[in-house]
Amino acid sequence: MDYWDYIGWADSFAHPDFTERQKAYAQALDERMIFTPQFIVNGVESSFGGQSAEVASLIQKYAQLVPGAELSIRRMGASYEITLQNVYYSSPYDVYLVGVSPLETVDIHSGQNAGRRVNYANIVTEWHNLGLWDGLRPTTFETGVLGGRYIVLL
């Protein structure tokens, strides 16, 4: 059971690890609630997904910043080799690889949305902790085989 399941239908994309991450962001950002859809931009600001102008403004704001590091990716059969180097901000970094599905359609059979067909965009389908990067020297991570078509590196 996940945090939206109490309203009468189980979210087929929910996962307890995703909920825990969302709760950790809420605590770090001093927010009292978590909600879906929610955007966390650059790890420091959040916005509700229904506020498209605000989300676009936050993305634009942080797009102006110098990238935090140089990234290179090389395909190795069914997996990838990811190298990070030349960090611009001194700190250790947790490196995550996230699988994303661009569009999924779900028929809702119960609860407040019973009878509706809902389209979901950019659904997180996988979450992998690749490890810790000290930010001091070039480091390469191997992803292993990935199930999703799209991946995001955090």
Side-chain angles (χ1 to χ4, degrees):
M1 179 167 205
D2 211 55
Y3 81 104
W4 278 116
D5 294 350
Y6 76 92
I7 60 174
W9 58 282
D11 180 351
S12 54
F13 303 112
H15 190 282
D17 290 344
F18 303 162
T19 301
E20 287 308 310
R21 182 169 177 82
Q22 197 171 7
K23 287 178 180 177
Y25 268 122
Q27 183 175 10
L29 298 174
D30 199 29
E31 295 179 346
R32 295 177 49 200
M33 298 177 59
I34 60 173
F35 44 89
T36 299
Q38 181 179 20
F39 291 85
I40 306 294
V41 181
N42 206 43
V44 295
E45 293 194 58
S46 91
S47 180
F48 176 66
Q51 305 297 319
S52 58
E54 180 179 284
V55 171
S57 175
L58 285 172
I59 291 170
Q60 185 64 31
K61 173 182 173 180
Y62 289 100
Q64 307 300 319
L65 297 178
V66 174
E70 291 179 19
L71 163 74
S72 62
I73 300 176
R74 184 168 66 126
R75 189 171 193 140
M76 306 287 293
S79 67
Y80 295 87
E81 190 176 82
I82 298 169
T83 301
L84 298 168
Q85 61 186 353
N86 298 331
V87 69
Y88 298 104
Y89 307 104
S90 174
S91 178
Y93 298 90
D94 290 308
V95 180
Y96 295 98
L97 191 70
V98 180
V100 178
S101 176
L103 181 65
E104 299 286 341
T105 301
V106 175
D107 293 318
I108 308 296
H109 300 290
S110 60
Q112 70 182 29
N113 291 318
R116 292 184 61 200
R117 173 171 269 186
V118 178
N119 292 321
Y120 293 86
N122 301 315
I123 304 304
V124 173
T125 57
E126 299 178 66
W127 191 276
H128 306 281
N129 183 340
L130 295 181
L132 187 66
W133 176 38
D134 64 12
L136 299 174
R137 57 188 161 272
T139 301
T140 299
F141 298 94
E142 292 186 20
T143 66
V145 176
L146 302 172
R149 287 188 354 202
Y150 298 97
I151 59 171
V152 176
L153 186 70
L154 304 175

